[in-house]
Amino acid sequence: MFRIRFWGVRGSIPTPGPATVFFGGNTSCVEMRCGAELLIFDCGTGARQLGDHLMDEKDPVRAHIFFSHAHWDHIQGFPFFRPGFVSGNEFNLCGSKTAPLNIEETLAGQMNYPNFPVSLSQMAATMRYNDLEPGERVEMNGVTVVPEPLSHPNGSFGYRVEHEGRVAVYATDNELSGQNSDAFRRLIQGADVLIHDAQYTEDEYWGRNGLQAKKGWGHSTWTESARAAQE
């Protein structure tokens, strides 16, 4: 089994309302089920609904959580992730080793006073923190996850997930025009599913028709993303 479910697809803030009802208004959070393994990519506001869903499962929740980067829209749902407060649940939290703060310090920082009333240390689940290097392979029960750097301010990871001959790639927040083409091709080559940044239209990105240009902001146009997938 290799199943993918989207719990949040937005950036940079949640966008509830009638204009976003089809895909939802939550920020980044994607669930992957690979055999017996539960993988979670980013904990934007979509993590709250994912957490509620996981609370309905009878068994203790055990999962690997992979953070692309620490911008707020990718971590802001973590303090509302209910399974994290339940003793007996276990989570391996993985993120970039090259950030100014490691993943534990980043998650703790947004929950410190005066930002939040509950600290990271009060979450009762077992938390294991893993700071990853680019290209470092994470192996688990027939699943392989490989992080590669993306082009985004302050840095970001894309993740290649391999399981039983299938490949899915999670690569949000990536500016293709500034991308190391060799690393990116290595990340996405032969993928069955590519989940990729498609933030802008061409007019928005290049600043046409009186719009402010977004070049250098760390995101791609939908047309660039489609071309990358096709190539």
Side-chain angles (χ1 to χ4, degrees), residues 5 13 28 35 43 52 60 69 81 92 95 100 105 109-110 119-120 124 132-133 173 184 192 201 203 206:
R5 185 168 182 178
I13 59 172
S28 300
C43 282
D52 291 345
H69 63 305
F81 184 64
N92 293 309
E105 293 168 333
Q110 74 163 342
S119 69
L120 180 64
L132 302 178
E133 295 280 6
D173 293 48
F184 185 68
D192 298 283
T201 66
D203 286 348
W206 295 107

Side-chain angles (χ1 to χ4, degrees), residues 113-168:
Y113 175 86
N115 298 325
F116 202 72
V118 180
S119 69
L120 180 64
S121 63
Q122 292 175 275
M123 298 182 82
T126 298
M127 305 280 187
R128 303 182 185 92
Y129 301 93
N130 304 279
D131 300 319
L132 302 178
E133 295 280 6
E136 181 178 344
R137 296 173 69 87
V138 181
E139 306 277 358
M140 65 201 92
N141 195 26
V143 183
T144 301
V145 180
V146 183
E148 292 287 359
L150 302 177
S151 178
H152 191 66
N154 306 128
S156 182
F157 267 163
Y159 291 97
R160 180 182 177 93
V161 183
E162 303 173 356
H163 176 61
E164 294 186 341
R166 299 292 187 182
V167 177

